[in-house]
Amino acid sequence: MEMFLDESKINRVFQTLHDMEKRIAQIECHLNLPTGQHVVLPDQTSQHSFSTNDALEFKIGQFWFAKIGIVVLAIGIVLALTFQYKNLPSFLPAVVGYFFVIGLFLFSHFLRNSFSFVSRYFFGGGLLLIYFSTLRLHFFSPNPLLTNRPILTGLLLAVVLLNLLISLRRKSVYLCGMSLTLGYITALVSENPMAIFMILTVLSAFAVYVRFKFQWKILLLSAIILTFFTHFVWFLNNPFLSGKIELVSAPGFNLLFVLLYILIFSLSNLLRERKFQEDNLDSSIAFLNSFGGFGLLTILTIITFRTDLAVYQLFASILFVGLSIAFWLREKSKYATFFYAIIGYSALSIAIIAQFQKPALFIWLCWQSLLVISTAIWFRSKFIVLANFVIYLFIFIASLITTRHSAAVSLSFGIVALMSARIMNWQKNRLELKTEYMRNAYLTTAFFIFPFAFYHIMPGGFVGLSWVGIAIFYYIMSIILHNKKYRWLALSTLLLTVGYVFFIGTLKLEPVFRIISFLVLGLALLIISILYTRSHTKSILKSNPE
């Protein structure tokens, strides 16, 4: 039927005919054949062109109205099926629904050639009505025909399986998406926790399968949202069926299924062929899977399953950090690695907070910072390195505000600062740092933390002496590592010690400790001065050997 042909298709047909005519003419000329009478083709720009308004009008009238009409018709039939008929046998609405299904399939068959797009819509509507007709056997009736919920669940799953197989055969992402949605509804209808979790797991795996087979990434995104949402609805006691919101407290192993969903969905990107580059949809999949799954797990553990909070957050941390490492090793993924790593670090922090009390809590969080910066440098993530330093400072400030001074806490923060700076210097080419701001920031932090720690650890008379010891340690590090930054730390610490001895030691120290502090500090300054003089002399001699 010509009136239903698309303008662009008509133009391509005539263009192809013109090209073929030219090539035939060239062949005739090359073979010295008599030239046949050319067929004058209609002008494609004048006879078969529609204005933009006409094209939009036909698009709305031909396609949009067909879609809307089928949707409106399907809704009307569903409303008729769900209406409670008091004076009719309980089986009759379901039987009528199945007859409607047969009618839609017949219409789809008869229109498959002349109105193929309408035929497809009728077919999809029929598949949808099979499900609701089966659902009508139990619901929407004061005296349901089928009262056994497991049998109903089995019938609905059979319908969903049939729909999925048909959608795969037809390679229709829309039918597949509709069938998956019906599968999630079936999970809630079952009202059995184990059945719900198993159905969600199977549907998650199926969504990953069709992503590999047909590259239906949008369908996978929908499956991620529906899976986490369905599990959360179960946690709220399925208010769509129960009519009230209550927090479910059992079974506790449902948290393992949340981690299983995350793992299954992550495989969709992790196992894809290497020839496919990470695009926006892949990044969206990783984002929804990581943040959505972690958000659901955190809500469940904090609100109801608090006794399992530390354990499951630790499991989540291992899973997410493991996934970030796997994505980095396999394809150097930028976004997936970042999303899973950030969530892994957050889960570990929550596990530490849930498990330990102050001040041990701050020690563990401090050493976690070292783990974060080590993996962040490996992942070449400047953002994580910067964010880790800011969080490190906040944790240290929080430890000062919320707890009495602890020597172990302060020393841990100082040691971690030095080790972080050393790791960054060791792997500076991997991180591609053009400046040394971050390393200097960690060294500056250590410069303040160590004197502060020893000020509280040591008795008043030994504070100045301990600071001299810190300076000597920095000088030793500068010799071992051949790094002048540690010499600057030593010089600064000695200057700080001079100020302390002169202004604090003179007023507060006992005479014996005051004398010892002055003698030791003065002797240390003289020795260092002599060493600098010898070093400077040697450098002059090397530069001017004559």
Side-chain angles (χ1 to χ4, degrees):
M1 300 183 65
E2 185 177 356
M3 65 176 295
F4 291 107
L5 294 178
D6 186 77
E7 176 191 0
S8 61
K9 295 181 179 179
I10 296 175
N11 293 338
R12 288 199 298 272
V13 170
F14 281 105
Q15 183 63 44
T16 302
L17 291 175
H18 280 293
D19 294 340
M20 291 177 63
E21 183 185 13
K22 291 180 181 179
R23 298 191 65 178
I24 293 174
Q26 292 175 356
I27 294 174
E28 291 175 342
C29 180
H30 179 73
L31 298 176
N32 294 323
L33 297 176
T35 305
Q37 183 178 1
H38 293 283
V39 179
V40 179
L41 297 174
D43 185 3
Q44 56 180 315
T45 61
S46 60
Q47 295 187 13
H48 292 278
S49 62
F50 298 97
S51 66
T52 303
N53 292 333
D54 291 338
L56 179 60
E57 177 186 352
F58 275 95
K59 186 175 183 179
I60 294 175
Q62 183 179 357
F63 297 103
W64 291 12
F65 279 3
K67 294 180 181 180
I68 297 174
I70 293 297
V71 171
V72 172
L73 179 62
I75 292 175
I77 298 175
V78 169
L79 291 176
L81 290 175
T82 56
F83 185 78
Q84 294 189 5
Y85 301 96
K86 297 182 179 179
N87 299 323
L88 293 178
S90 58
F91 68 88
L92 187 58
V95 173
V96 172
Y98 288 125
F99 275 108
F100 271 119
V101 170
I102 295 174
L104 289 176
F105 284 160
L106 289 176
F107 274 115
S108 173
H109 178 75
F110 291 139
L111 299 176
R112 68 186 187 281
N113 294 324
S114 56
F115 297 94
S116 60
F117 54 94
V118 177
S119 172
R120 293 194 297 268
Y121 300 151
F122 272 120
F123 189 83
L127 294 179
L128 180 64
L129 288 180
I130 292 178
Y131 184 86
F132 279 97
S133 298
T134 306
L135 195 66
R136 187 64 172 78
L137 296 174
H138 178 82
F139 291 97
F140 318 113
S141 175
N143 299 307
L145 178 64
L146 182 61
T147 58
N148 190 296
R149 188 63 65 90
I151 295 178
L152 173 68
T153 303
L155 292 175
L156 293 175
L157 287 177
V159 173
V160 171
L161 178 61
L162 175 64
N163 289 358
L164 289 174
L165 293 176
I166 293 175
S167 65
L168 291 181
R169 183 178 179 82
R170 289 177 169 248
K171 298 181 180 180
S172 172
V173 64
Y174 301 107
L175 289 179
C176 193
M178 180 191 71
S179 303
L180 274 177
T181 304
L182 296 179
Y184 288 107
I185 295 175
T186 304
L188 292 176
V189 167
S190 70
E191 290 192 327
N192 181 283
M194 194 63 190
I196 292 174
F197 306 147
M198 292 301 298
I199 293 173
L200 295 185
T201 302
V202 172
L203 293 177
S204 302
F206 179 81
V208 172
Y209 166 75
V210 295
R211 182 255 189 269
F212 284 131
K213 188 173 182 61
F214 302 108
Q215 294 299 312
W216 291 344
K217 299 179 182 180
I218 293 294
L219 185 66
L220 182 61
L221 283 172
S222 302
I224 293 174
I225 296 173
L226 288 173
T227 298
F228 295 144
F229 175 74
T230 304
H231 196 108
F232 183 68
V233 170
W234 165 83
F235 173 66
L236 297 179
N237 193 36
N238 196 0
F240 297 112
L241 292 182
S242 65
K244 56 183 178 181
I245 297 178
E246 293 179 356
L247 301 182
V248 177
S249 58
F253 61 79
N254 79 93
L255 301 173
L256 291 176
F257 280 93
V258 176
L259 297 177
L260 182 59
Y261 308 150
I262 296 170
L263 177 61
I264 291 174
F265 287 130
S266 67
L267 296 179
S268 64
N269 284 343
L270 186 61
L271 300 182
R272 68 171 178 262
E273 296 183 27
R274 295 178 183 268
K275 64 180 181 180
F276 294 109
Q277 299 295 323
E278 188 177 38
D279 56 19
N280 292 334
L281 284 177
D282 292 325
S283 302
S284 300
I285 290 171
F287 176 82
L288 279 177
N289 186 37
S290 57
F291 283 83
F294 176 69
L296 175 62
L297 181 72
T298 303
I299 291 173
L300 296 180
T301 51
I302 289 180
I303 294 180
T304 302
F305 304 95
R306 183 174 290 272
T307 56
D308 300 323
L309 176 59
V311 174
Y312 281 102
Q313 289 293 336
L314 179 60
F315 288 163
S317 175
I318 295 173
L319 174 62
F320 283 116
V321 174
L323 288 174
S324 67
I325 294 174
F327 273 98
W328 183 255
L329 291 176
R330 178 173 172 79
E331 57 185 39
K332 297 295 186 291
S333 170
K334 181 178 180 181
Y335 296 104
T337 300
F338 173 77
F339 293 144
Y340 288 117
I342 285 292
I343 295 300
Y345 304 146
S346 302
L348 181 58
S349 297
I350 294 176
I352 291 173
I353 294 173
Q355 182 65 28
F356 298 100
Q357 301 294 325
K358 296 177 291 187
L361 162 68
F362 295 108
I363 297 177
W364 283 99
L365 290 176
C366 169
W367 285 99
Q368 181 197 352
S369 173
L370 192 63
L371 171 65
V372 172
I373 196 172
S374 301
T375 53
I377 293 174
W378 184 26
F379 298 151
R380 302 177 185 270
S381 177
K382 300 178 183 178
F383 177 81
I384 296 180
V385 171
L386 178 60
N388 180 67
F389 176 71
V390 174
I391 295 173
Y392 165 86
L393 289 181
F394 275 115
I395 294 173
F396 179 66
I397 295 173
S399 69
L400 297 179
I401 296 174
T402 60
T403 61
R404 297 181 62 183
H405 177 74
S406 170
V409 172
S410 298
L411 289 178
S412 294
F413 276 94
I415 294 172
V416 167
L418 291 180
M419 294 182 67
S420 299
R422 186 58 197 157
I423 291 174
M424 294 183 68
N425 182 72
W426 177 37
Q427 295 290 336
K428 59 183 177 182
N429 294 328
R430 174 179 289 274
L431 195 59
E432 298 178 356
L433 287 174
K434 303 305 179 182
T435 64
E436 298 186 351
Y437 292 147
M438 290 303 303
R439 277 177 281 163
N440 291 341
Y442 275 108
L443 291 176
T444 303
T445 304
F447 166 73
F448 287 106
I449 288 178
F450 278 120
F452 173 81
F454 280 94
Y455 176 81
H456 289 277
I457 295 173
M458 305 299 292
F462 293 94
V463 171
L465 299 176
S466 65
W467 289 7
V468 172
I470 296 174
I472 294 174
F473 168 76
Y474 286 144
Y475 274 119
I476 295 174
M477 291 294 294
S478 69
I479 295 173
I480 295 174
L481 301 176
H482 303 286
N483 192 324
K484 65 179 181 180
K485 292 181 182 294
Y486 290 95
R487 292 202 299 270
W488 278 107
L489 286 175
L491 288 173
S492 302
T493 304
L494 285 175
L495 291 176
L496 186 66
T497 307
V498 170
Y500 174 81
V501 171
F502 270 94
F503 294 101
I504 304 298
T506 304
L507 299 176
K508 294 186 177 181
L509 294 182
E510 297 180 2
V512 175
F513 289 111
R514 186 186 309 142
I515 294 172
I516 294 175
S517 297
F518 273 93
L519 291 177
V520 172
L521 178 60
L523 184 61
L525 293 174
L526 288 175
I527 293 174
I528 291 172
S529 176
I530 294 172
L531 292 176
Y532 269 101
T533 302
R534 292 184 59 184
S535 176
H536 183 65
T537 303
K538 289 182 179 179
S539 62
I540 294 176
L541 293 177
K542 288 181 179 180
S543 60
N544 300 291
E546 297 181 358

